[in-house]
Amino acid sequence: MNVLILGSGGREHAFAWKLAQSKHLQNLYIAPGNAGTANCGTNIPISVNDFEAIKNLVWEKDINMVVVGPEDPLVKGIHDYFLQDDVLKDIPVIGPKKDGAILEGSKDFSKQFMIRHGIPTARYQSFTSETLQEGLTFLTTLNAPFVLKADGLAAGKGVLILNTLEEAQYELSAMLIQQKFGKASSTVVVEEFLNGIELSVFVLTDGKTYKILPAAKDYKRIGEGDTGLNTGGMGAISPVPFADAAFLKKVEEQIIKPTITGFLKENIDYRGFVFIGLMNCNGNPFVIEYNCRMGDPETEVVLPLIESDLLDILQGVATQTLHTKILKISPQVAATVVMVSGGYPNDYEIEKEVTITTETNETLIFHSGTKLKEQTILTSGGRVFALTSFGESITEAVNKSFVQAEKIQYQNKYYRKDIGKDLSQY
Ligand code: AMP
Ligand code: GLY
């Protein structure tokens, strides 16, 4: 098979690395890819949102499957675009159509979906500029801290957690009236704060049946001890020690099953990954959010733990025969440590020359934001590498990644040295 992966981050490098090992794979293309994906297949400089250029590429390279990494093209309807086109309609796309991607594209829709299917989530109401007054009153019925969420996609910045009622009321007005997040905040979800510990569960579905992938915990803040600004993710651990069998059973019964039957009941033909952000509140799971794709950097720990041929499993998704496939998971722990450009998530400089003095055999070096200039690797993003290692314990795995991180040089490199530390108590 010839496969095209859309995207350019560490997540897509992990997909490329895994699919390149498949015995069913002939040619692998990544659009646009990065310096790391270039080692697994052929990079093609096309934007993930340029559907027409993607169509021409699929035609030209005789692509048999498209795996979509980021949410943007899914929410914009790349899967629908394929289905509506005579040339493309029989080429499977891994990733939902618009009617499934809206679970990530609209937080208001996803909350309503959860309520319709009895899926545990924080109490909430949604407001627009017309109902601002009701919103301000609703806030007075909640306890601090207050959670405000822009309904639409806001590049991961649309959630505000505020400590006082005054701040929350001020920000609600700023979102609805001053359009703080543009159109994304013309509707705002106001919800109860959930106290607990966060983790993510990943499900692969063909619309009828599902497979549960290893759970992961990511580290969102830039600073050690979970301090400072939110980032795309500074590291991840999988599996998650506090998500024991009893907890995961609750997740499956109370969340995964009703989600999949919810798709069926609402005629949402969902073929792809569902990323469920959860809060573990005293042993009970609550959904914080759905994403219509895999996480980054969670993919960099989840895919390396899959021992089965991923392309074979994805074919099961495409042909709705997922139930006939066996998903074999490694018993090891995987840890990834993300190396970033100094200054990230604020302003940072790019095009710094990267030197990898030694590649230890213990660590997978996934590229997140790099590009090639002739034979030289240059940084090209905030997140530059995700270093994934394995072990019998979290400490063993994460320490291997730290050793590798010391052997990669570029100006102003930074990474958190406490990834996984909080989990040693479990
Ligand atoms: P999201 O963009 O939906 O992932 O939200 C960003 C982050 O805000 C989440 O990862 C949580 O850490 C936090 N968060 C969102 N909703 C809640 C909630 N209801 N209670 C507590 N924390 C939340
Ligand atoms: N790491 C969080 C995400 O991919 O949304």
Side-chain angles (χ1 to χ4, degrees), residues 30-43:
I30 310 97
N34 61 37
T37 61
N39 295 324
C40 312
T42 308
N43 286 345

Side-chain angles (χ1 to χ4, degrees), residues 218 232 275 291 293 295-298:
D218 79 339
F275 164 159
N291 294 313
R293 53 170 172 91
D296 192 351
E298 293 90 334

Side-chain angles (χ1 to χ4, degrees), residues 44 113 138 142 145 160 198 208 244 266 279 363 386 407 422:
I44 310 277
F113 179 89
F138 181 65
L142 300 174
L160 300 181
E198 224 175 314
K208 290 183 172 162
D244 57 16
E266 301 194 16
M279 195 69 90
T363 301
K407 298 188 184 332
D422 57 320

Side-chain angles (χ1 to χ4, degrees), residues 100-333:
I102 193 175
L103 275 183
E104 176 164 2
S106 166
K107 293 202 187 283
D108 179 51
F109 176 90
S110 75
K111 294 294 286 190
Q112 291 186 35
F113 179 89
M114 289 182 243
I115 302 299
R116 281 198 291 278
H117 301 290
I119 295 166
T121 188
R123 187 162 72 90
Y124 86 107
Q125 277 185 32
S126 295
F127 302 96
T128 61
S129 57
E130 271 104 69
T131 53
L132 171 65
Q133 280 313 319
E134 283 102 306
L136 298 176
T137 310
F138 181 65
L139 278 168
T140 66
T141 71
L142 300 174
N143 295 321
F146 302 90
V147 184
L148 306 183
K149 298 183 171 181
D151 174 53
L153 292 184
K157 296 193 170 71
V159 175
L160 300 181
I161 300 194
L162 304 148
N163 287 323
T164 67
L165 179 62
E166 290 68 35
E167 281 173 286
Q169 292 185 324
Y170 175 85
E171 291 292 348
L172 182 61
S173 307
M175 286 167 95
L176 291 175
I177 310 293
Q178 279 97 49
Q179 304 224 319
K180 180 166 180 153
F181 299 105
K183 260 176 49 191
S185 67
S186 49
T187 298
V188 174
V189 168
V190 177
E191 73 178 27
E192 189 178 53
F193 183 83
L194 295 170
N195 235 322
I197 171 157
E198 224 175 314
L199 73 155
S200 301
V201 168
F202 302 91
V203 180
L204 182 60
T205 179
D206 61 3
K208 290 183 172 162
T209 61
Y210 61 85
K211 300 264 185 230
I212 305 174
L213 310 181
K217 179 177 191 299
D218 79 339
Y219 291 80
K220 290 200 165 78
R221 303 295 193 96
I222 188 70
E224 289 174 14
D226 287 326
T227 53
L229 294 172
N230 255 326
T231 70
M234 297 296 292
I237 302 288
S238 179
V240 182
F242 60 80
D244 57 16
F247 178 78
L248 290 175
K249 183 96 197 128
K250 287 186 192 171
V251 172
E252 181 167 13
E253 294 302 322
Q254 298 172 17
I255 294 168
I256 296 172
K257 283 186 181 167
T259 299
I260 304 299
T261 50
F263 293 155
L264 282 167
K265 283 184 193 157
E266 301 194 16
N267 288 321
I268 300 171
D269 178 15
Y270 196 115
R271 304 202 194 176
F273 295 93
V274 192
F275 164 159
I276 310 176
L278 295 175
M279 195 69 90
N280 177 341
C281 303
N282 296 319
N284 289 313
F286 289 82
V287 177
I288 293 179
E289 62 168 349
Y290 286 110
N291 294 313
C292 61
R293 53 170 172 91
M294 284 297 289
D296 192 351
E298 293 90 334
T299 305
E300 291 94 304
V301 283
V302 173
L303 294 191
L305 288 176
I306 296 179
E307 291 177 346
S308 318
D309 184 323
L310 183 63
L311 188 47
D312 183 46
I313 304 235
L314 294 182
Q315 273 186 292
V317 171
T319 54
Q320 292 198 308
T321 54
L322 187 58
H323 60 285
T324 65
K325 307 290 179 186
I326 291 171
L327 181 69
K328 195 155 180 282
I329 304 292
S330 157
Q332 288 201 297
V333 172

